[in-house]
Amino acid sequence: MHHLHRLSPGRDIEDLEGAATPLLEDVASLRDLVGRAGPRLLGAVIALVTLLITVLVIAPSLAPVPILAAVLAAVVSILTGRGGERRETAARTDAAALADTAQELLAATRTVQSYGLEDRAASTLAEVGARAARSRSAARRGRVLGLAAHSLVGAAGAVAVLLLAGAQSGGPSAGDLVVVLAATLAAVPLAGAIVRFRVEIASAVAAASGLSDLLSRNAAIGEPPRTLGVGRLRGEVVFSAITAHSERGPRFDGMSVVIPAGQHVALMDRSGAEASALLSYLLSRFDQPETGRVLMDRYDTRSLSLADLRGALAVVQREPALFSETVRENIRAGRPEADDLEVAEAARRAAPTPSTPSRRTGTRPCWCAAAPHSPTDAVAASRSPAPCCAMRRWCRWTAPTPSSPRASAPRCSPRSMRWWRAAPR
């Protein structure tokens, strides 16, 4: 997540938000391999290798039998596993279709009763149920056949050990023969277990490849090789000879502007793309112009560290986001060191409480076109689903009376704000 937050959406990665689900799935696959499948696979491999080494030491002449039995068990697991996966998938699909059909028919009970479709509905459900039953039976038969095939391989290995030991003059002792028989019978399920983990291994390999591809994406605009140490910045911003192009043509052609510290400046354009581009240049980590420089207090923003630059800026997004935390923590996001009194003061300034209604005057919420005056106002703005930076205010309205049957139009408080849109009653 730290790496993804350094990438610029649309520049370094096309769909940054869409990368979350594959990322979590890949991490889950690797966690499953490390925590569940990995230890079991490692244990099965160690046990099988130990058995084969033991047989090679005590009865070298009989060692080919358990080795051949393990190979045959692996082949049987591969063959039965592929068909078993298809049958299990078909069984799950048919079971889901049966549940959907039953739910659909029950939801249409009144229609079935109105047109006398009871027999037709019953036959439809019976047909889908019979198909689901056949799929379940096929999957069950596949599992039984796999177990039978493994048992047959184990029995054949045991018989081969006995025949080979009997054919040898001065063969192994009874104790060694018992060890070889036990190793042969144990090698069959161990080999099958190792093969069954191939799905988890393939999934983990694909997950590792996806994570590697994601981590290999580098931010086009990174930290400068050498940064300048700066103190508290006053806030003077200079765009010097900015030139940039977009897909629709030239965006800036040698534009220069000086914004003194302490000034309130509104950037007006036709579509919002130009103003957003200037803000991206100021942040210096989202985008950069083709030519020109962006200065803050005479410092080139490309020579400032990411921490110094972002610590000097407060950005109010057009569509702010709320984190899954308390309102207090959302307000405190810009200044984690702020205490509760400062948070309460910021909330009070951003969203004043409504005035107390009189007997014939009430209050109800509406949306007012008002831009946030400070970074803390952005938290109040973030509660609004409106596409603009509107703050939620309380508007006064007069209830209808016999002399005035219609309610007066709502007006916003404070009076300096114009009414935008009243919420439905």
Side-chain angles (χ1 to χ4, degrees):
M1 190 60 64
H2 187 272
H3 176 73
L4 290 177
H5 278 157
R6 289 185 174 273
L7 303 179
S8 298
R11 182 187 181 99
D12 302 323
I13 186 171
E14 291 297 330
D15 187 10
L16 185 59
E17 296 182 4
T21 300
L23 172 65
L24 296 178
E25 292 178 352
D26 292 342
V27 172
S29 298
L30 292 177
R31 182 186 297 115
D32 182 70
L33 177 64
V34 174
R36 188 182 68 87
R40 295 182 181 180
L41 175 62
L42 183 61
V45 171
I46 292 176
L48 181 59
V49 172
T50 303
L51 288 176
L52 296 180
I53 293 176
T54 303
V55 173
L56 285 173
V57 171
I58 64 175
S61 59
L62 300 178
V65 177
I67 295 176
L68 183 60
V71 172
L72 290 176
V75 173
V76 169
S77 297
I78 293 175
L79 295 178
T80 58
R82 292 176 179 176
E85 291 175 2
R86 292 194 297 268
R87 287 187 289 269
E88 293 289 346
T89 302
R92 288 192 296 267
T93 302
D94 292 339
L98 177 61
D100 294 340
T101 303
Q103 184 176 3
E104 178 183 353
L105 292 175
L106 290 176
T109 298
R110 291 187 180 276
T111 302
V112 172
Q113 293 174 347
S114 300
Y115 293 94
L117 302 176
E118 290 85 354
D119 294 339
R120 180 178 177 182
S123 62
T124 300
L125 186 63
E127 180 180 354
V128 178
R131 186 166 60 249
R134 289 193 296 269
S135 298
R136 288 196 301 270
S137 299
R140 191 179 301 110
R141 285 196 302 271
R143 291 193 295 269
V144 172
L145 289 176
L147 293 176
H150 280 86
S151 301
L152 182 61
V153 171
V159 172
V161 168
L162 294 175
L163 293 178
L164 187 59
Q168 296 177 356
S169 60
S173 63
D176 293 343
L177 183 60
V178 170
V179 171
V180 174
L181 285 174
T184 302
L185 296 176
V188 172
L190 288 175
I194 293 173
V195 171
R196 283 194 296 272
F197 281 117
R198 73 186 188 280
V199 177
E200 287 82 356
I201 295 174
S203 177
V205 170
S209 176
L211 287 177
S212 176
D213 179 68
L214 188 62
L215 294 176
S216 64
R217 296 176 180 268
N218 296 322
I221 304 173
E223 292 280 4
R226 299 183 63 182
T227 59
L228 298 176
V230 298
R232 183 177 179 84
L233 300 176
R234 294 184 298 107
E236 181 187 63
V237 178
V238 177
F239 294 95
S240 176
I242 299 298
T243 300
H245 292 78
S246 64
E247 297 178 354
R248 298 182 179 180
R251 176 172 290 171
F252 303 111
D253 186 10
M255 187 206 73
S256 298
V257 62
V258 178
I259 304 176
Q263 293 290 324
H264 291 189
V265 178
L267 302 177
M268 308 297 293
D269 55 16
R270 290 166 296 186
S271 62
E274 291 84 357
S276 299
L278 288 179
L279 292 178
S280 297
Y281 301 157
L282 178 61
L283 289 171
S284 182
R285 294 300 182 267
F286 293 161
D287 203 355
Q288 284 185 352
E290 298 172 7
T291 61
R293 297 190 305 165
V294 181
L295 307 177
M296 180 176 287
D297 287 358
R298 308 299 179 179
Y299 292 102
D300 193 328
T301 55
R302 288 174 294 188
S303 64
L304 299 179
S305 67
L306 184 63
D308 290 340
L309 183 61
R310 290 184 175 176
L313 296 173
V315 182
V316 179
Q317 302 289 346
R318 178 169 297 182
E319 296 183 4
L322 278 177
F323 298 104
S324 300
E325 297 177 349
T326 63
V327 176
R328 178 183 290 106
E329 295 303 324
N330 274 276
I331 297 176
R332 192 181 279 139
R335 283 181 53 200
E337 71 278 4
D339 56 26
D340 290 346
L341 293 179
E342 292 176 320
V343 171
E345 176 63 18
R348 186 193 63 80
R349 291 170 53 196
T353 56
S355 57
T356 304
S358 61
R359 187 167 63 90
R360 290 190 177 276
T361 303
T363 59
R364 73 167 183 252
C366 71
W367 307 108
C368 301
H373 299 289
S374 67
T376 55
D377 292 342
V379 179
S382 64
R383 303 192 192 112
S384 170
C388 62
C389 291
M391 288 191 300
R392 193 170 191 173
R393 300 289 182 178
W394 287 86
C395 293
R396 302 178 63 81
W397 60 282
T398 305
T401 60
S403 59
S404 178
R406 297 183 61 185
S408 64
R411 61 182 186 277
C412 283
S413 178
R415 296 173 183 267
S416 60
M417 297 183 183
R418 64 185 179 88
W419 174 72
W420 185 259
R421 174 170 66 86
R425 294 189 183 181

